[in-house]
Amino acid sequence: MDFTAYKTLVNTIDELSEKLEKQHNKHMKCKAGCDLCCMDYSIFPVEFYSIAKALKERGDKPVLNTTKDESSCIFLNNHKCEIYADRPIICRTHGLPLLFMNEDNDWELSACELNFTELDLEEFSEGNTFPQDKFNSKLYLLNKEFIAKNGLTNHSELDLIPIKELAKHI
């Protein structure tokens, strides 16, 4: 399985996320130990299998946290992500101001409740927010191609796999 296109997308997202983090530094409360956003998200197969491959190749195996409630991420231990370098795209954008189209076809802004507490929403624009729909569309198309190229007949282009299922692939 080739993950080159996925890794390129991840790098692009990381670059934009880093730029936005610097731009909003004085409003961002995210730091090591902050795990309000760490949940058992579901991800596309391209992400799932890329992370599974990376975890299999690691010398040290992540310690799974099975004591938390079911909605928490199994890779969160002592307020630290065990798979931080290989985390899914959704985890790479947490805390940033996210711009997306809601169900009413209106633009909506979302950000962590701990961040931007002293900022007027009018100060956000396309230039200082993360265009979530743009990158979700790219990820969707990349996933669709990944499924077809790899003959993953057990997955459709709309399937999402819970992160906790990665425990079976370590």
Side-chain angles (χ1 to χ4, degrees), residues 92-105:
R92 294 171 184 275
T93 62
H94 280 309
L96 297 173
L98 307 174
L99 189 62
F100 65 96
M101 184 76 64
N102 66 22
E103 293 175 2
D104 297 326
N105 289 326

Side-chain angles (χ1 to χ4, degrees), residues 32-110:
C34 180
D35 57 20
L36 185 64
C37 301
C38 300
M39 306 183 127
D40 182 38
Y41 293 103
S42 293
I43 56 179
F44 281 125
V46 67
E47 286 195 279
F48 184 87
Y49 290 110
S50 176
I51 295 168
K53 180 179 185 266
L55 293 177
K56 283 180 186 175
E57 293 172 353
R58 279 175 54 164
D60 62 325
K61 300 298 177 200
V63 177
L64 301 178
N65 187 345
T66 56
T67 61
K68 291 205 164 201
D69 64 79
E70 284 193 27
S71 66
S72 294
C73 183
I74 63 167
F75 295 109
L76 181 66
N77 281 312
N78 297 320
H79 305 284
K80 181 182 176 222
C81 179
E82 293 276 335
I83 63 167
Y84 189 81
D86 302 304
R87 69 198 184 281
I89 287 173
I90 190 169
C91 302
R92 294 171 184 275
T93 62
H94 280 309
L96 297 173
L98 307 174
L99 189 62
F100 65 96
M101 184 76 64
N102 66 22
E103 293 175 2
D104 297 326
N105 289 326
D106 293 324
W107 287 106
E108 191 169 319
L109 182 71
S110 173

